[in-house]
Each structure stands twice: as structure tokens, then as C-alpha cells.
Amino acid sequence: GGRMARRAGHVSSLGSKRLSLFSHTHPRRDTAQLRAEDPTNREIKGNDQPVRHQIRYGSHPDQYGDLYIPQKEFDIENKPVPLVVLIHGGFWQHEYSKKLEQEVANEIAQTRLAAVWNIEYRRVGKAGLHKGWPEIFLDVSAAMDRIADMCVSYSIDPNRIAVVGHSAGGHLAMWTAMRRNIPQGSPGANPKVMPQLVISQSGVTDLTYAYNNFVGGYAIPALLGSFGGGRVDPQILSIADPAELLPSEAKLVSLHAERDKAVPIEISKRFTSKAKAKGCNAHFLQIQNEDHMAFVNTRSMAHHCTMMTLQEFFYPDLQKEIDAIKAQQGVSEMRRFTKETNTVKDKEAMDTVQRMFRERDGDIH
């Protein structure tokens, strides 16, 4: 694959072929190399690397996130950029952190698809919380509402905000899209910022079903403050469960790995069915032949499908935008990171995602 599509010969050769904002064919430094170059883990600069800022949304040590800003040539017209909020998984347990999403965050921003807000939050367990309610939900709400200020400071488009969450993070991601339905006075009510797209990656989105079927063992009781086999407070469960808070105005996409042994795929199917029954713009896609952790592997089909879902949402008229830039600015001034979709995975993922949006369901074969 080529680098940026700046040369006239390269751009003209693309013809009518589908374009992608990213490709996995270029050399990329791995996470260990990035840490070696950036021992403070605060900011990365140089080459195609985005600038990373650590931004707090509260006073607790875990109330912060890393904001990745693509290089300045992200958009030649300096328009506000879209934002992807990443919420990591790990069954809400303290031993898992936002480092799970670090490679994914850098990948999204490096390709100039969007800015990225990879958030941390207080978790349950040793050195953490005794229970997750209400602290985890307050943290995720505060991190989302912090975006209101970031839109001004970092030129982020408040109308193009996507939340992507993996596993337990998928539960929290979908929950952010339901906050307008939360009763007054409850954690998460009165949101300042709402996403337009949510992607759950093998997420625990039907929390009541997962709780009743003991998914994750005692993780859900610990999240909601019930220990030793006691029943969870049904009022808390109803506010913590995105499936109980439906509907939402956001586009709701549930991606789930076929070989997932941590979170049953039935959860995503059930959530999508409930969302559709409530009139939501909801979609389900099964990722064939991949497992639960595929979503945090940037070489996986699960990751490709996530990227293509984001691209289709943020840039539905990408080819028209490219033609307009070429006509107005000339090929030599075209700065957006556009590439020919030149790998089998890119093409397969894009075709699959587009089919998912056209049809009720989709599979990768």
C-alpha cells in the first residue's frame, strides 16, 4: 500500500475503487516502542504519530483519560474533527485498565479517522472500589460530559461523537446512549454530551439477562453492590442496564465474536432485538472465527469491522469529499489521509459493514 494519497498519479489511479481512511500495510511502531520513545507516557509526537494529552475529569487518580489528536493535516479546512471515546473492558475489575485500548487508540488517531478519548475509570477490586455502583457510572458520565469543554479546546465536532466499548466497556458504552432516560437524581442523569454512534464489542449490554445467567461469575453483583449471593437491588439494576433504559436516538451497533467464551453472543442478539422493538436504529454483526479479545488486536477482522463502521458513520460521502477537495485545492494540496482499500481484510470488512447497515443482520464468512 502507498502512503498518503498526495501525488496526482496515485490519486488519479484510484478511479472509482472504494477508498479507506486507513490501511494496515504501512510500518507501525508497536506499543513497546512507543513507550520507549515516550517514557513519561504523556505525549507522542513525530511522523504520523498523534499528539496525546492526559486530561482529568475528576480528582481521583483514576478519573482521567488520554486524548489523542491527529496531526494538523487531518483536515485541510480545519473543520472540527470527529471523536471516538474508548471504554475498556475487564468485567469492571481494577486489574484491567485503559492500557487494553492503547494500541487501538493510537491506531484510530494515527490513521486520522478521528480524535480519540481513551478513558480510565474507578474499578472494583483490590486497590479499587468495594463495589462499582454508583462510582463507575458517575465516572463514565463525567468523562462523557468533559467532552463539552474539549470540543472547544480541541476543535472536536459535538455532532460526530462515537463511543466504542469492549466487553464490560461495551455495557458502559451503550449505557452512555441511554442517559436521557435515567430518572432525575440518579447517576448519569442530565447528560451534557450524548453520542450519535455506539459500538459495543462483545459487550454485556443486556445486563439483567447476564446477571440472571451468572455471566462473569460475581462480577455483576460486585458491580452493583451485592455480595455473598445476595440479590441485586432491582432499582439499581434497572438504571444500570442499557437494555432496560431503551430507547436511544443514537445508532446502536453490536459486534460480537463468534468464538467468544467470556460473554455469550446471545446477549448482543437480545439487546439488538430489544432496541429494534423500541424503534432504535440498531444493528448486530457476528464476527466469524474470532474470540473475545480480537477487538483489542488491531490486525483482527473484529478491529477492521470496528474501523469501517466508524468510517461509514463519520464519512458517509467520502468519495464526494475527496473529489471536492481535488477540485477546489488541487491534488498536491490534498491532506486527508485517504488510501485505496488495498487489502483483502479492508475490502471484506467494508463490504460486511455496509451489508450490515443495509440488512437486518450480517455475518462474515
Side-chain angles (χ1 to χ4, degrees), residues 1 9-10 22 49 54 59-60 74 76 78 99 145 153 195 203 220 222 236 243 295 306 322 340:
H10 179 68
F22 78 105
Q49 296 302 323
Q54 188 180 96
S59 59
H60 188 276
F74 176 81
I76 60 172
N78 292 316
K99 289 182 180 179
D145 291 344
S153 302
I220 295 174
I236 293 177
F295 291 100
T306 300
I322 292 169
E340 183 176 3

Side-chain angles (χ1 to χ4, degrees), residues 160-217:
R160 287 194 294 171
I161 295 173
V163 183
V164 179
H166 175 235
S167 192
H171 155 253
L172 296 170
M174 281 297 182
W175 183 81
T176 69
M178 314 297 164
R179 289 176 59 200
R180 284 179 178 155
N181 303 333
I182 293 174
Q184 292 294 316
S186 298
N190 300 314
K192 294 180 181 178
V193 175
M194 292 293 291
Q196 291 80 40
L197 169 69
V198 176
I199 303 175
S200 168
Q201 303 169 318
S202 285
V204 193
T205 47
D206 190 328
L207 196 65
T208 301
Y209 175 85
Y211 167 67
N212 289 334
N213 288 274
F214 209 54
V215 174

Side-chain angles (χ1 to χ4, degrees), residues 60-315:
H60 188 276
D62 286 336
Q63 292 175 324
Y64 76 101
D66 289 336
L67 177 65
Y68 296 70
I69 301 295
Q71 293 286 1
K72 291 296 182 183
E73 64 255 32
F74 176 81
D75 195 311
I76 60 172
E77 298 178 3
N78 292 316
K79 293 179 181 178
V81 299
L83 177 70
V84 175
V85 182
L86 292 179
I87 307 181
H88 72 81
F91 274 111
W92 311 279
Q93 298 294 304
H94 191 269
E95 57 261 41
Y96 302 98
S97 74
K98 66 177 180 59
K99 289 182 180 179
L100 285 168
E101 297 287 352
Q102 192 164 297
E103 182 181 352
V104 172
N106 192 69
E107 173 85 3
I108 294 172
Q110 184 180 3
T111 58
R112 297 175 178 82
L113 180 65
V116 181
W117 175 228
N118 184 21
I119 67 166
E120 192 54 274
Y121 52 92
R122 288 175 286 179
R123 282 97 64 216
V124 179
K126 187 177 180 180
L129 303 168
H130 294 298
K131 60 183 177 64
W133 178 271
E135 287 86 353
I136 290 176
F137 298 84
L138 291 171
D139 285 1
V140 171
S141 298
M144 288 296 297
D145 291 344
R146 183 73 170 84
I147 295 170
D149 295 328
M150 290 159 49
C151 286
V152 177
S153 302
Y154 296 96
S155 189
I156 289 167
D157 187 349
N159 297 311
R160 287 194 294 171
I161 295 173
V163 183
V164 179
H166 175 235
S167 192
H171 155 253
L172 296 170
M174 281 297 182
W175 183 81
T176 69
M178 314 297 164
R179 289 176 59 200
R180 284 179 178 155
N181 303 333
I182 293 174
Q184 292 294 316
S186 298
N190 300 314
K192 294 180 181 178
V193 175
M194 292 293 291
Q196 291 80 40
L197 169 69
V198 176
I199 303 175
S200 168
Q201 303 169 318
S202 285
V204 193
T205 47
D206 190 328
L207 196 65
T208 301
Y209 175 85
Y211 167 67
N212 289 334
N213 288 274
F214 209 54
V215 174
Y218 288 100
I220 295 174
L223 169 71
L224 302 179
S226 176
F227 302 94
R231 295 293 296 174
V232 166
D233 184 331
Q235 185 175 1
I236 293 177
L237 183 57
S238 68
I239 299 171
D241 185 355
E244 293 295 316
L245 291 171
L246 287 161
S248 172
E249 296 177 1
K251 189 171 202 171
L252 309 176
V253 177
S254 296
L255 309 180
H256 212 109
E258 178 194 27
R259 296 182 178 179
D260 199 313
K261 295 181 179 179
V263 179
I265 197 168
E266 184 65 21
I267 290 178
S268 288
K269 292 179 178 179
R270 287 177 60 89
F271 176 83
T272 303
S273 295
K274 289 182 178 181
K276 288 181 177 180
K278 291 278 189 175
C280 297
N281 183 4
H283 303 268
F284 166 77
L285 179 64
Q286 177 175 300
I287 312 295
Q288 302 282 31
N289 302 317
E290 291 191 340
D291 62 15
H292 187 70
M293 297 306 292
F295 291 100
V296 293
N297 176 359
T298 57
R299 292 176 176 84
S300 70
M301 180 59 77
H303 174 74
H304 273 68
C305 286
T306 300
M307 293 287 278
M308 289 303 187
T309 302
L310 290 167
Q311 177 178 309
E312 281 288 277
F313 184 77
F314 289 147
Y315 304 100

